[in-house]
Amino acid sequence: MYITQESKKGRLTGDFANGQAGWCAKPEQWFPLTGHMIGDNALTFTVNWQNDSQDCQSYTVWDGEIKDGILYTNWVLTSTNGGKTYHGEDTFYRECKCRHCPTP
């Protein structure tokens, strides 16, 4: 995830790459992220899994809180083709914790 802009009103924009193998959104592909800061330590953001080369017919919404520089989130992925939903948790670190950190 790269946050490329934060407005004075807390609006976030950026890019998001999926970290899960075996899904429509490949790890090397970037998708638009929009969101909003809520106070100093909470935020919500959404990724529509559609870009210039891929349409995964779904979107994910994350809600989270920043504690000690780590972002802890809950997410809901919704399919726009059939309406299925999936739930889970993600943890984001300021520094990349993967073997190869992609850039948008």
Side-chain angles (χ1 to χ4, degrees):
M1 168 176 37
Y2 280 93
I3 303 298
T4 55
Q5 183 176 12
E6 179 182 357
S7 75
K8 291 180 182 179
K9 294 185 178 183
R11 181 167 162 72
L12 304 171
T13 56
D15 297 292
F16 192 94
N18 171 45
Q20 290 291 105
W23 189 61
C24 174
K26 306 298 181 229
E28 66 276 1
Q29 295 177 321
W30 289 91
F31 295 84
L33 172 153
T34 58
H36 200 85
M37 289 296 300
I38 304 163
D40 291 332
N41 295 319
L43 71 145
T44 183
F45 63 93
T46 301
V47 173
N48 180 359
W49 298 104
Q50 180 178 2
N51 62 21
D52 292 338
S53 62
Q54 188 70 29
D55 183 359
C56 297
Q57 299 181 3
S58 59
Y59 63 91
T60 304
V61 177
W62 286 261
D63 292 303
E65 186 174 8
I66 302 167
K67 295 180 185 174
D68 299 321
I70 301 170
L71 174 58
Y72 299 93
T73 65
N74 294 303
W75 55 264
V76 177
L77 182 145
T78 302
S79 168
T80 58
N81 183 14
K84 292 183 181 179
T85 59
Y86 304 90
H87 304 264
E89 298 175 349
D90 280 325
T91 303
F92 297 93
Y93 301 88
R94 185 167 298 275
E95 287 82 30
C96 180
K97 300 288 184 184
C98 57
R99 282 181 251 144
H100 170 69
C101 296
T103 55

